């Protein structure tokens, strides 16, 4: 062993070979110092490198945990099963349950905001119009794997009962349907890039882990915009699946 990068490479190998499985704790720094014959600062630097690569998460009082990087399939078809009002789960929780995962959509806050130009254009309202903004975290076993923010024209949100700070059982789309605002189509745009420092902090990933940025615009059957949703997720955890899409036309 020559330096912290060599130690990081060896620990990465041990993680990838399964010696340290997801959710387990790496040996304490003092044990790694003894095992590898390295100084404390060298071991700390190696662990920081692993954290930056998204392999581990440093938790106060818990130590250095191996991050779960097993992919979660998020199919577009998740929406189809939650469009009817009265359901118990939204699209994220439904997709997780189908894979045997303990998924939860946790509400962070609900605010009334003035529409900036970009959201006003997407939602077909005047700039400065009142919007309801709902921020949420999508979790797997208490780990945040998506940061979501959605906006709705305030009159539509109030009509659907989603303008207050409370979790919408069954999901927002079902609530919109129950208010006679059934979602009928959506445009979804996906880009990728490196996370900002704030995004990395919220997702508890290193800045070297790429993220997916998803924007979805949902409309009613008459073309009325209902929702703009923006999602940020680590690209090594989320697998977006666009299955059975119509290709248009007939032979």
């Amino acid at each position: 062993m020559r330096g912290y990068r060599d130690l990081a490479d060896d620990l990465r190998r041990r993680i990838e070979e399964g010696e340290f499985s997801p959710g387990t704790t790496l040996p304490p720094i003092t044990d790694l110092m003894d095992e590898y014959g390295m100084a404390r600062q060298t071991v700390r630097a190696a662990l920081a490198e692993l954290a930056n690569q998204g392999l581990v998460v440093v938790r106060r009082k818990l130590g250095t945990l191996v991050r779960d990087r097993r992919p979660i399939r998020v199919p577009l078809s998740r929406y189809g099963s939650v469009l009817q009002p009265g359901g118990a789960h939204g699209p994220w929780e439904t997709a997780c349950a189908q894979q045997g995962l303990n998924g939860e959509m946790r509400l962070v806050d609900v605010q009334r905001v003035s529409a900036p130009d970009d959201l006003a254009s997407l939602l077909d309202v005047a700039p400065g119009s009142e919007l309801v903004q709902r921020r949420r975290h999508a979790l797997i076993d208490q780990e945040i794997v998506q940061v979501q923010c959605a906006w709705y024209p305030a009159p539509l949100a109030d009509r659907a009962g989603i303008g207050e700070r409370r979790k919408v059982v069954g999901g927002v789309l079902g609530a919109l349907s129950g208010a006679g605002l059934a979602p009928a189509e959506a445009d979804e745009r996906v880009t990728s890039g490196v996370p900002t420092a704030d995004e990395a902090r919220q997702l508890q990933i290193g800045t070297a882990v790429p993220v997916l940025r998803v924007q979805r615009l949902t409309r009613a059957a008459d073309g009325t915009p209902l929702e703009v949703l923006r999602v940020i997720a680590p690209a090594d955890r989320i697998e977006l699946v666009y299955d059975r899409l119509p290709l248009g036309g007939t032979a």
Side-chain angles (χ1 to χ4, degrees), residues 16-213:
E16 292 180 340
E17 290 179 355
E19 181 178 346
F20 304 118
S21 58
T24 61
T25 305
L26 292 185
I29 289 178
T30 52
D31 289 0
L32 292 174
M33 290 168 59
D34 292 339
E35 180 179 353
Y36 287 95
M38 290 185 164
R40 179 180 297 273
Q41 188 57 38
T42 304
V43 174
R44 286 187 182 277
L47 295 178
E49 179 69 13
L50 293 179
N52 191 50
Q53 295 173 6
L55 289 162
V56 301
V57 178
V58 179
R59 297 268 177 84
R60 185 177 298 178
K61 297 183 180 180
L62 293 178
T64 304
L65 304 181
V66 177
R67 181 168 164 262
D68 192 343
R69 294 178 294 142
R70 292 172 292 183
I72 304 163
R73 298 179 72 254
V74 184
L76 182 65
S77 56
R78 67 193 184 278
Y79 297 115
S81 60
V82 297
L83 294 180
Q84 296 302 315
H89 301 292
W92 170 255
E93 293 159 335
T94 298
C96 289
Q98 290 172 348
Q99 297 167 71
L101 300 171
N102 182 27
E104 176 191 354
M105 185 63 71
R106 182 173 296 171
L107 181 65
V108 177
D109 64 35
V110 178
Q111 297 182 29
R112 304 273 170 156
V113 300
S114 297
D117 289 348
D118 61 334
L119 291 176
S121 177
L122 289 168
L123 290 169
D124 195 22
V125 298
S129 297
E130 187 178 51
L131 304 179
V132 168
Q133 173 187 281
R134 297 180 63 90
R135 293 198 305 125
R136 307 176 294 239
H137 287 164
L139 298 94
I140 296 288
D141 292 326
Q142 304 305 307
E143 176 192 354
I144 298 172
V145 291
Q146 287 188 18
V147 173
Q148 299 189 0
C149 194
W151 296 267
Y152 311 85
L156 298 187
D158 292 336
R159 176 176 165 184
I162 59 173
E164 304 302 323
R165 194 186 189 285
R166 63 178 182 83
K167 180 178 174 65
V168 180
V169 177
V172 167
L173 299 184
L176 289 168
S177 294
L181 300 165
E185 64 179 26
D187 299 335
E188 194 159 275
R189 183 181 69 190
V190 183
T191 59
S192 63
V194 296
T196 65
D198 185 59
E199 291 168 348
R201 178 190 59 78
Q202 291 186 75
L203 292 167
Q204 297 186 326
I205 58 174
T207 55
V209 179
V211 294
L212 298 176
R213 294 187 175 89

